[in-house]
Amino acid sequence: MKTLISGGTVVTAIDTVAADVLIDGEVIIAIGAPGTHGWADQADKVIDATGKYVVPGGIDPHTHMELPFGGTYASDTFESGTRAAAFGGTTTIIDFAVQVKGESLIDGFDTWMAKAEDECAIDYGFHMIAGDINEQSLSDMDVLIDRGCTSFKLFMAYPGVFYSDDGDILRAMQKAAATDSMIMMHAENGMAIDVLREQALERGETDPVHHSLTRPSVTESEATHRAIVLAELAGAHLYVVHMSAKEALEEIAEARDKGLPVFAETCPQYLFLNVEDHVASEGFEGAKYVCSTPIRKREDGHQDALWMGLATNDLQVVSTDHCPFCMDDHPILGTQKQLGVGDFTKIPNGLPGVEDRFQLIYHGGVVEGRIDLNRWIELTSTAAAKIFGMYPKKGTIAVGSDADIVVFDPDIDWTKSVSQHHMDVDYSPYEGKEVKGKVETVLLRGTVIVDGDEYLGQKGDGRYLQRERVSVHH
Ligand code: DUC
Ligand code: ZN
Ligand code: ZN
């Protein structure tokens, strides 16, 4: 089956060109001048992209479908969450398999694979959360690398749950250095944060806003600095997840300026939301915006610094940390955010975003003049493909690449709302936000899975991605 996407402007991380794209089966077989002779005749299907951008499908390298957290589960399943991702122009996710204390790394991986297998609407890979570093887990890292899971996430936060101490972190980093795998870090000083939380509760400070206030930016920048020092000591590649503090970003910039293989991402919630207008909302509304790292104060200028970091490549990726919890009871999972009424420490941490990211970065980045079209694609697709061993199969429009393609209409004005999204969560953090640009058609490996408001794919279309070891240096 051959598909031709004609008349559009192809945008990659490098080029913006008027071109037709010819697909055979699952891959792109040719890119040619508009109206290339004979292509329309041989195509079984022609998609008219006149006036539209033709871009690589988005890659979100940080999602948590069905994550058990804070006494409940993230409300999107692999089925609902990946379908929503497709509507938002994302054709690949990398989710996190979890090893809990006392369990083997491989058992954790197998459990997550079983949850995702035959459920996903788009292609998927896994990072492994190593929650219990010991001799066995270190040697099991080799097994997972052979299975295409080439990145391991550690937590400096959440003592007693996912937390690893500096010794364990160093051991895991040494192993990662020896195997060309990536260490991903949740960089917050969890020990210090726990003290601040306890003291806030003792003072009777129980509202959602205290979640943000008890995780001051120094707890993020200190941990980021420590992670960099340990990675340098081990000779490991480091990728710091969900950065929200400008001081932490300065640590990343300094490390990169020294030539260290240090990478970092931020997420839409840190670029668009703030304490004053969101987390500090009346009553319990602020719980919608409780996540870790936290949303920070507008007046402290973190957002401008993060956007600048995205523009200058101090930050390389925008992911989502998609981890939704409902404000009212979920029909199957029951009480979610409201577990924390009267005690902010019990609010499950996380926000939805997997459907929003690609479009929001277009709007806030390109439309509002902070980055150009090519950087939009690099931040939301290409860089993640390179950093996490999927390039050039994923992350670009090139001959031989998977035909994961989004036809994007840059001229549509619309308003974001829970009433139009497909994520299984009962609110939108961006409710009422007026945006420009909309995903129109989405192809996964050559097959149209989204056409406007219609879903044409099937559960299980998505395939597991065997990822390569790390080969990026900077
Ligand atoms: N942060 C969140 O907000 N949710 C899930 C895990 C995390 O680190
Ligand atoms: Zn995290
Ligand atoms: Zn996360």
Side-chain angles (χ1 to χ4, degrees):
M1 156 103 178
K2 281 192 180 161
T3 303
L4 176 67
I5 306 178
S6 70
T9 300
V10 174
V11 181
T12 66
I14 305 208
D15 296 313
T16 306
V17 283
D20 291 355
V21 179
L22 189 61
I23 299 161
D24 189 3
E26 301 198 337
V27 298
I28 296 162
I29 56 163
I31 300 163
T36 295
H37 184 68
W39 284 11
D41 298 335
Q42 56 173 293
D44 304 288
K45 182 182 173 72
V46 178
I47 297 171
D48 179 10
T50 306
K52 317 277 164 66
Y53 295 133
V54 177
V55 300
I59 299 176
D60 186 345
H62 191 156
T63 67
H64 296 287
M65 308 304 172
E66 308 181 28
L67 179 75
F69 192 93
T72 181
Y73 291 81
S75 57
D76 261 320
T77 59
F78 279 93
E79 183 187 357
S80 66
T82 54
R83 200 188 318 120
F87 272 107
T90 287
T91 51
T92 296
I93 57 164
I94 313 178
D95 204 272
F96 289 81
V98 179
Q99 174 208 31
V100 291
K101 290 249 182 293
E103 181 192 38
S104 91
L105 214 56
I106 294 170
D107 287 348
F109 183 82
D110 288 344
T111 304
W112 252 260
M113 189 62 110
K115 290 183 200 221
E117 220 164 18
D118 305 324
E119 296 292 318
C120 293
I122 57 172
D123 288 355
Y124 62 99
F126 286 112
H127 315 285
M128 187 77 219
I129 290 177
D132 194 357
I133 304 290
N134 52 46
E135 282 293 307
Q136 188 61 45
S137 9
L138 293 175
S139 92
D140 285 350
M141 283 169 71
D142 292 315
V143 178
L144 293 187
I145 291 166
D146 285 345
R147 293 191 195 174
C149 171
T150 53
S151 37
F152 299 88
K153 185 180 180 191
L154 305 173
F155 285 79
M156 301 168 112
Y158 304 126
V161 190
F162 296 127
Y163 176 83
S164 294
D165 68 23
D166 290 359
D168 286 342
I169 289 170
L170 183 59
R171 278 183 224 282
M173 285 176 164
Q174 288 169 335
K175 179 73 186 187
T179 53
D180 291 329
S181 50
M182 180 70 82
I183 290 294
M184 304 172 78
M185 188 62 77
H186 179 130
E188 284 187 295
N189 187 323
M191 292 294 191
I193 288 168
D194 269 10
V195 173
L196 298 177
R197 277 151 70 94
E198 201 181 295
Q199 292 169 345
L201 287 180
E202 280 165 14
R203 291 192 297 269
E205 296 165 356
T206 60
D207 287 344
V209 69
H210 296 290
H211 173 83
S212 279
L213 303 183
T214 53
R215 307 178 95 88
S217 56
V218 68
T219 60
E220 185 183 339
S221 57
E222 181 279 329
T224 302
H225 180 81
R226 190 157 30 100
I228 291 166
V229 170
L230 293 169
E232 186 175 13
L233 195 56
H237 282 69
L238 173 70
Y239 179 99
V240 180
V241 296
H242 51 53
M243 305 259 322
S244 72
K246 62 179 189 222
E247 298 84 353
L249 176 58
E250 282 163 16
E251 298 288 345
I252 299 286
E254 198 176 308
R256 290 177 59 81
D257 287 349
K258 278 167 71 180
L260 295 173
V262 171
F263 306 86
E265 64 176 25
T266 189
C267 312
Q269 55 270 35
Y270 307 119
L271 297 167
F272 292 95
L273 307 175
N274 60 59
V275 166
E276 293 89 333
D277 300 327
H278 302 97
V279 197
S281 300
E282 279 284 290
F284 193 63
E285 280 294 284
K288 289 177 177 171
Y289 316 101
V290 164
C291 56
S292 300
T293 57
I295 307 289
R296 301 198 180 277
K297 282 191 186 158
R298 183 182 48 212
E299 65 174 25
D300 292 340
H302 299 284
Q303 279 180 1
D304 286 346
L306 292 173
W307 277 113
M308 191 51 74
L310 291 173
T312 61
N313 207 35
D314 287 339
L315 287 166
Q316 295 75 49
V317 172
V318 180
S319 71
T320 59
D321 201 9
H322 178 77
C323 191
F325 298 99
C326 291
M327 284 295 279
D328 289 325
D329 285 3
H330 181 276
I332 297 164
L333 300 166
T335 314
Q336 301 220 290
K337 288 285 189 185
Q338 291 193 28
L339 289 165
V341 172
D343 180 352
F344 72 89
T345 68
K346 300 211 162 61
I347 302 171
N349 288 197
L351 262 71
V354 76
E355 187 173 354
D356 304 310
R357 179 193 68 126
F358 198 60
Q359 194 282 329
L360 272 181
I361 301 307
Y362 176 78
H363 180 85
V366 180
V367 176
E368 296 188 341
R370 296 180 175 102
I371 55 173
D372 66 15
L373 276 173
N374 310 101
R375 186 64 179 157
W376 166 48
I377 296 306
E378 190 165 27
L379 291 169
T380 55
S381 182
T382 318
K386 289 182 177 173
I387 292 169
F388 294 112
M390 301 182 287
Y391 187 84
K393 181 178 166 62
K394 302 293 189 191
T396 194
I397 294 188
V399 172
S401 293
D402 281 358
D404 296 345
I405 297 177
V406 174
V407 178
F408 191 86
D409 188 335
D411 294 322
I412 295 186
D413 294 302
W414 58 293
T415 304
K416 294 184 69 63
S417 170
V418 62
S419 63
Q420 54 73 35
H421 77 204
H422 302 80
M423 299 176 283
D424 184 14
V425 62
D426 62 359
Y427 74 96
S428 168
Y430 311 102
E431 189 67 39
K433 185 173 175 59
E434 292 176 8
V435 290
K436 198 176 191 66
K438 203 164 198 291
V439 169
E440 185 175 271
T441 309
V442 180
L443 289 86
L444 175 72
R445 282 180 278 100
T447 301
V448 176
I449 57 168
V450 169
D451 188 15
D453 294 332
E454 218 182 328
Y455 179 62
L456 301 176
Q458 280 174 21
K459 146 173 161 161
D461 281 344
R463 228 179 256 159
Y464 173 68
L465 278 163
Q466 178 92 18
R467 294 183 294 112
E468 307 289 331
R469 292 169 196 247
V470 180
S471 61
V472 280
H473 299 295
H474 209 62

Short mmCIF file of all heavy atoms in Angstrom, two decimals, residues 62 64 153-155 158 185-188 241-242 292-293 321, ligand 2:
data_model
loop_
_atom_site.label_atom_id
_atom_site.label_comp_id
_atom_site.label_asym_id
_atom_site.label_seq_id
_atom_site.Cartn_x
_atom_site.Cartn_y
_atom_site.Cartn_z
N HIS A 62 8.49 10.50 28.38
CA HIS A 62 8.25 10.46 29.83
C HIS A 62 6.75 10.41 30.13
O HIS A 62 6.09 11.44 30.25
CB HIS A 62 8.88 11.70 30.49
CG HIS A 62 8.93 11.65 31.98
ND1 HIS A 62 9.84 12.37 32.73
CD2 HIS A 62 8.17 11.00 32.89
CE1 HIS A 62 9.64 12.15 34.01
NE2 HIS A 62 8.61 11.32 34.14
N HIS A 64 3.55 8.00 32.37
CA HIS A 64 3.28 7.02 33.44
C HIS A 64 1.85 6.50 33.33
O HIS A 64 0.99 6.82 34.16
CB HIS A 64 3.43 7.66 34.82
CG HIS A 64 4.80 8.15 35.15
ND1 HIS A 64 5.84 7.31 35.46
CD2 HIS A 64 5.31 9.40 35.24
CE1 HIS A 64 6.93 8.02 35.73
NE2 HIS A 64 6.63 9.30 35.59
N LYS A 153 15.92 4.82 35.45
CA LYS A 153 15.60 6.02 36.21
C LYS A 153 15.79 5.79 37.70
O LYS A 153 15.35 4.78 38.25
CB LYS A 153 14.15 6.46 35.96
CG LYS A 153 13.82 7.79 36.67
CD LYS A 153 12.40 8.25 36.44
CE LYS A 153 12.14 9.56 37.17
NZ LYS A 153 10.73 9.94 37.22
N LEU A 154 16.43 6.77 38.33
CA LEU A 154 16.65 6.74 39.77
C LEU A 154 15.99 7.96 40.40
O LEU A 154 15.80 8.98 39.75
CB LEU A 154 18.16 6.78 40.07
CG LEU A 154 19.00 5.69 39.40
CD1 LEU A 154 20.48 5.95 39.64
CD2 LEU A 154 18.61 4.31 39.91
N PHE A 155 15.67 7.84 41.68
CA PHE A 155 15.00 8.93 42.40
C PHE A 155 15.86 9.39 43.57
O PHE A 155 16.24 8.57 44.41
CB PHE A 155 13.65 8.46 42.97
CG PHE A 155 12.56 8.32 41.95
CD1 PHE A 155 12.49 7.20 41.13
CD2 PHE A 155 11.58 9.29 41.81
CE1 PHE A 155 11.48 7.06 40.18
CE2 PHE A 155 10.56 9.16 40.87
CZ PHE A 155 10.51 8.05 40.06
N TYR A 158 11.30 10.99 47.24
CA TYR A 158 10.41 9.93 47.73
C TYR A 158 11.12 8.87 48.60
O TYR A 158 11.13 7.69 48.27
CB TYR A 158 9.71 9.22 46.55
CG TYR A 158 8.94 10.13 45.63
CD1 TYR A 158 9.19 10.13 44.25
CD2 TYR A 158 7.96 10.98 46.12
CE1 TYR A 158 8.48 10.96 43.39
CE2 TYR A 158 7.25 11.82 45.25
CZ TYR A 158 7.52 11.81 43.90
OH TYR A 158 6.83 12.63 43.05
N MET A 185 17.39 10.95 36.03
CA MET A 185 17.34 11.28 37.45
C MET A 185 16.15 12.16 37.79
O MET A 185 15.94 13.20 37.15
CB MET A 185 18.63 11.99 37.85
CG MET A 185 18.76 12.20 39.35
SD MET A 185 18.82 10.64 40.26
CE MET A 185 20.50 10.15 39.91
N HIS A 186 15.39 11.74 38.79
CA HIS A 186 14.44 12.64 39.44
C HIS A 186 15.25 13.36 40.51
O HIS A 186 15.55 12.79 41.57
CB HIS A 186 13.26 11.87 40.04
CG HIS A 186 12.27 12.75 40.74
ND1 HIS A 186 10.92 12.69 40.50
CD2 HIS A 186 12.43 13.71 41.68
CE1 HIS A 186 10.30 13.60 41.26
NE2 HIS A 186 11.20 14.21 42.00
N ALA A 187 15.62 14.61 40.21
CA ALA A 187 16.57 15.33 41.06
C ALA A 187 15.85 16.29 42.01
O ALA A 187 15.57 17.43 41.67
CB ALA A 187 17.57 16.07 40.18
N GLU A 188 15.52 15.80 43.17
CA GLU A 188 15.02 16.64 44.27
C GLU A 188 15.57 16.02 45.55
O GLU A 188 15.59 14.78 45.67
CB GLU A 188 13.49 16.59 44.37
CG GLU A 188 12.72 17.38 43.35
CD GLU A 188 11.23 17.39 43.68
OE1 GLU A 188 10.60 16.32 43.64
OE2 GLU A 188 10.70 18.47 43.99
N VAL A 241 15.25 14.62 34.54
CA VAL A 241 13.85 14.71 34.09
C VAL A 241 13.15 15.93 34.70
O VAL A 241 13.61 16.51 35.69
CB VAL A 241 13.07 13.41 34.45
CG1 VAL A 241 13.64 12.22 33.70
CG2 VAL A 241 13.04 13.16 35.94
N HIS A 242 12.04 16.27 34.10
CA HIS A 242 11.11 17.32 34.56
C HIS A 242 11.73 18.46 35.37
O HIS A 242 11.40 18.71 36.52
CB HIS A 242 9.91 16.72 35.32
CG HIS A 242 10.22 15.76 36.44
ND1 HIS A 242 11.07 16.04 37.46
CD2 HIS A 242 9.72 14.53 36.69
CE1 HIS A 242 11.10 15.00 38.28
NE2 HIS A 242 10.30 14.08 37.85
N SER A 292 5.47 16.69 41.03
CA SER A 292 6.86 16.84 41.50
C SER A 292 7.81 16.51 40.36
O SER A 292 7.64 15.47 39.73
CB SER A 292 7.14 15.89 42.65
OG SER A 292 6.27 16.16 43.71
N THR A 293 8.79 17.38 40.11
CA THR A 293 9.05 18.66 40.73
C THR A 293 7.79 19.53 40.67
O THR A 293 6.92 19.30 39.82
CB THR A 293 10.20 19.40 40.00
OG1 THR A 293 9.82 19.54 38.62
CG2 THR A 293 11.49 18.59 40.03
N ASP A 321 5.76 13.91 31.53
CA ASP A 321 5.55 13.30 32.85
C ASP A 321 4.05 13.02 33.04
O ASP A 321 3.54 13.14 34.16
CB ASP A 321 6.09 14.19 33.97
CG ASP A 321 6.36 13.41 35.26
OD1 ASP A 321 6.30 12.17 35.23
OD2 ASP A 321 6.64 14.05 36.29
ZN ZN B 2 10.01 12.09 38.60
#
